Amino acid sequence: MRIGDLATATGASARSLRYYEEQGLLASERSSGGQRHYPESAVERVTLIQSLLAAGLSSSTIHDVLPCITEEAIRTPWLAERLRSELSRVEDQISSLHRTRDILAGLVEHYAV
């Protein structure tokens, strides 16, 4: 499957797919003309990468956890701890945003005409 086909199948831009490949998250083979060719399984992998990005994980964290997620045989307690750590980080960010919202709401109430 060529990069345009994978982009269409996943909704990811070709630029995103090239980025995933640069980060070691996605692999392709090159044709003699230099075009990228992806296996059919790349659709599922890109969908997983998009889900992990949407969950707030960085591409470097995804690089670390992806093998454990995709290969059940190598899952260890480390994966659960790493994901819990990421969840805690996101929860801290949410708490900070709630405080920011409360401050802004107070400013709006105080200064809005």
Side-chain angles (χ1 to χ4, degrees):
M1 159 180 325
R2 291 173 36 185
I3 194 165
D5 299 325
L6 183 56
T8 299
T10 61
S13 67
R15 182 177 180 171
S16 292
L17 297 174
R18 286 189 292 273
Y19 175 77
Y20 300 162
E21 196 168 342
E22 289 170 11
Q23 298 301 305
L25 307 177
L26 184 64
S28 69
E29 293 186 8
R30 298 291 183 120
S31 69
S32 59
Q35 291 184 334
R36 290 174 168 87
H37 289 276
Y38 299 93
E40 292 296 322
S41 61
V43 172
E44 184 177 337
R45 188 165 183 97
V46 169
T47 301
L48 176 58
I49 292 166
Q50 291 171 320
S51 294
L52 294 169
L53 287 167
L57 276 63
S58 68
S59 58
S60 64
T61 298
I62 294 170
H63 183 270
D64 293 345
V65 302
L66 199 55
C68 299
I69 290 174
T70 58
E71 297 179 41
E72 190 171 343
I74 63 171
R75 284 186 194 157
T76 65
W78 173 87
L79 175 62
E81 182 54 37
R82 183 70 185 262
L83 293 176
R84 282 189 195 99
S85 173
E86 290 298 319
L87 178 59
S88 178
R89 182 186 59 78
V90 169
E91 287 171 341
D92 289 345
Q93 288 176 331
I94 291 169
S95 293
S96 178
L97 285 171
H98 281 286
R99 286 189 298 277
T100 300
R101 182 199 61 207
D102 292 345
I103 292 168
L104 184 55
L107 291 170
V108 167
E109 185 176 317
H110 188 265
Y111 294 108
V113 202

